[in-house]
Amino acid sequence: MSRFVLLSPNGDFDQKLRAAVANGLRGSVQTIASDILPAGPHELFALLNQEQPEVLIIGPDVPYEEALRFAKVFDVQVPGLSLVLVSDVDPGHLLNAMRAGIRDILSPQADAAEIRVLLERACQSFATRHRGPESNQETNGKGLVIGVFSPKGGVGKTTLATNIAIGLGQIAPMSVVIVDLDLQFGDVASGLYLNPQHTVTDAVTPAAAQDSLVLKAFLTVHPAGIYALCAPPNPVDADHITPEQVSRLVEQLSHEFQYVVLDTAPGMPEIGLAAMEQCTDVVWVSAMDIPSLRGLRSGLEVLRQLEIMPESRHVVLNMADPKAGLNVRDVESTIGAPVDVSVPRSRAVALSTNRGIPVLQESKKDPAVKSLRQLVERFNPAWRAQAQRKLHRRVVI
């Protein structure tokens, strides 16, 4: 059975699609080389001589109106399919395409690597819609929301956030999104070496807030198999984004992804507090210096008083250096909380940050890499289940 079906008379795109599938994707491609699409599912499946595939690709040279007509029929009769449109569609028509049932849009000029990433996303979407009821009950229909916070800047918060997202992407490909909520001076785009066409500004518009399909069209795909929603390029744009819009955005994304990673601005601005209320997990980051540690202690105390601290808290000592005159015991005594993960100062991490390639994206042997993987593992369902069992045993004893 063919996993992918292409409807298009364009032979060049057919070759690119087959090259993309052959390079790392399971399954095969079947092509119907015509610009006239079947009337409906029954006619298409008869031509294919099989039951429904996972992904239907409406390729180049198919008239836009014909593609919309076809999508509307399939969205009603076979809603589980992932339907991809290959077109240089005008941005003004994007919403119409999404409402017709198009799950994703791809440029005809996309190369094989871009096609492969999009097909992985389409297959993941198909799998999500066909996931069994047991899985939905376990997650209550929502993914983990992991907020990365620090009362002070310059502690490597964005470096940790991007590496967490990359590491989780290796656990759950195409099921992770990182959101840059440092709306004025965010660095997620540079930390992932991205040049996004859309940002948080687009993602909080009324059209995106009302339709998650529109929202997902504003996400940027990273080659490591995650999504990113970056901060606006102009700091002034941040003034037009409200805490309520951010709360709604995080809520939407938590229903669409297994993991939502939030990189926040230093301190505790209103946007950050609104995001924290949506978090299932909070990662607190501090460097190994007294000002950072005192800031973290004060921040934790304020949140305890406000009673908005999520139960799952992870304290990370970043850029730990035994030559700094402090040890982990000193740190824990200062902040009044245990350190969960200590990430040593590392030249490899600093170099990777400057290159825009998170260190977990590469196969490097470094003590900091080991610590970062320990941090990522804390969000692995298997680790969390084991931790819950240990906690239960302690309570029983």
Side-chain angles (χ1 to χ4, degrees):
M1 185 180 78
S2 300
R3 193 180 187 194
F4 308 98
V5 171
L6 171 64
L7 307 170
S8 174
N10 190 300
D12 291 340
F13 185 83
D14 184 27
Q15 291 181 359
K16 282 200 296 185
L17 176 65
R18 292 177 183 275
V21 171
N23 187 21
L25 286 176
R26 176 180 56 83
S28 61
V29 178
Q30 186 170 350
T31 301
I32 297 178
S34 173
D35 59 354
I36 301 176
L37 302 181
H42 180 75
E43 291 77 8
L44 175 64
F45 299 155
L47 289 172
L48 298 175
N49 195 27
Q50 68 169 68
E51 296 180 0
Q52 72 176 65
E54 292 184 24
V55 184
L56 280 180
I57 303 107
I58 304 176
D61 303 332
V62 174
Y64 174 71
E65 294 300 330
E66 173 71 359
L68 288 194
R69 191 266 321 158
F70 182 83
K72 289 176 182 177
V73 172
F74 270 74
D75 191 45
V76 172
Q77 298 186 23
V78 194
L81 271 176
S82 285
L83 199 57
V84 175
L85 175 64
V86 184
S87 172
D88 286 322
V89 61
D90 184 274
H93 294 125
L94 182 62
L95 183 58
N96 289 334
M98 292 296 180
R99 291 198 183 282
I102 301 293
R103 303 289 178 181
D104 223 326
I105 296 178
L106 180 68
S107 169
Q109 288 75 45
D111 59 23
E114 292 174 298
I115 296 172
R116 180 181 60 79
V117 169
L118 184 138
L119 292 182
E120 285 181 351
R121 178 167 65 187
C123 291
Q124 180 64 37
S125 177
F126 177 89
T128 299
R129 291 191 297 276
H130 288 77
R131 194 174 289 154
E134 298 84 1
S135 175
N136 291 332
Q137 289 170 1
E138 289 176 5
T139 62
N140 197 27
K142 296 177 66 174
L144 291 185
V145 179
I146 304 161
V148 185
F149 294 82
S150 175
K152 289 187 174 292
V155 298
K157 178 174 52 59
T158 298
T159 296
L160 284 179
T162 52
N163 275 286
I164 289 171
I166 292 294
L168 291 173
Q170 294 164 355
I171 295 173
M174 310 309 292
S175 298
V176 180
V177 60
I178 180 170
V179 184
D180 194 342
L181 292 181
D182 187 350
L183 298 176
Q184 289 186 309
F185 305 108
D187 286 324
V188 166
S190 60
L192 293 173
Y193 201 66
L194 293 173
N195 184 24
Q197 292 183 338
H198 303 285
T199 68
V200 175
T201 305
D202 303 296
V204 298
T205 57
Q210 294 168 14
D211 194 329
S212 291
L213 289 177
V214 177
L215 170 61
K216 293 176 78 172
F218 293 137
L219 305 181
T220 302
V221 181
H222 186 272
I226 66 171
Y227 296 91
L229 186 54
C230 301
N234 188 344
V236 176
D237 292 343
D239 295 337
H240 306 295
I241 299 174
T242 67
E244 292 75 21
Q245 287 175 315
V246 168
S247 294
R248 170 61 181 161
L249 170 64
V250 176
E251 174 75 13
Q252 276 184 281
L253 291 172
S254 71
H255 285 281
E256 299 294 328
F257 290 91
Q258 188 173 341
Y259 296 102
V260 181
V261 180
L262 308 177
D263 184 29
T264 63
M268 290 186 288
E270 285 188 82
I271 293 290
L273 292 176
M276 187 177 294
E277 291 183 325
Q278 298 291 327
C279 288
T280 59
D281 295 73
V282 165
V283 177
W284 284 105
V285 187
S286 176
M288 207 170 195
D289 60 78
I290 293 299
S292 295
L293 296 173
R294 285 178 174 169
L296 178 54
R297 181 181 63 189
S298 299
L300 292 174
E301 182 58 33
V302 169
L303 292 172
R304 290 190 190 102
Q305 294 175 7
L306 295 175
E307 297 182 347
I308 61 173
M309 176 78 76
E311 291 184 6
S312 295
R313 182 190 65 197
H314 315 267
V315 176
V316 178
L317 180 60
N318 198 25
M319 298 179 285
D321 187 348
K323 298 179 182 179
L326 298 172
N327 56 36
V328 173
R329 185 175 298 176
D330 296 327
V331 171
E332 293 177 335
S333 176
T334 301
I335 65 176
V339 172
D340 296 297
V341 178
S342 180
V343 182
R345 187 177 295 278
S346 166
R347 184 175 178 273
V349 172
L351 179 62
S352 72
T353 299
N354 291 334
R355 293 171 59 209
I357 303 176
V359 71
L360 290 189
Q361 193 175 337
E362 302 179 298
S363 298
K364 288 186 176 293
K365 292 184 178 180
D366 188 272
V369 171
K370 182 179 179 181
S371 296
L372 288 169
R373 293 206 179 280
Q374 289 174 350
L375 175 58
V376 171
E377 190 64 19
R378 297 177 74 86
F379 309 110
N380 190 330
W383 184 92
R384 295 171 76 88
Q386 184 178 14
Q388 287 288 340
R389 288 194 294 271
K390 289 181 179 178
L391 178 62
H392 177 71
R393 283 199 295 268
R394 286 200 294 268
V395 171
V396 171
I397 291 172

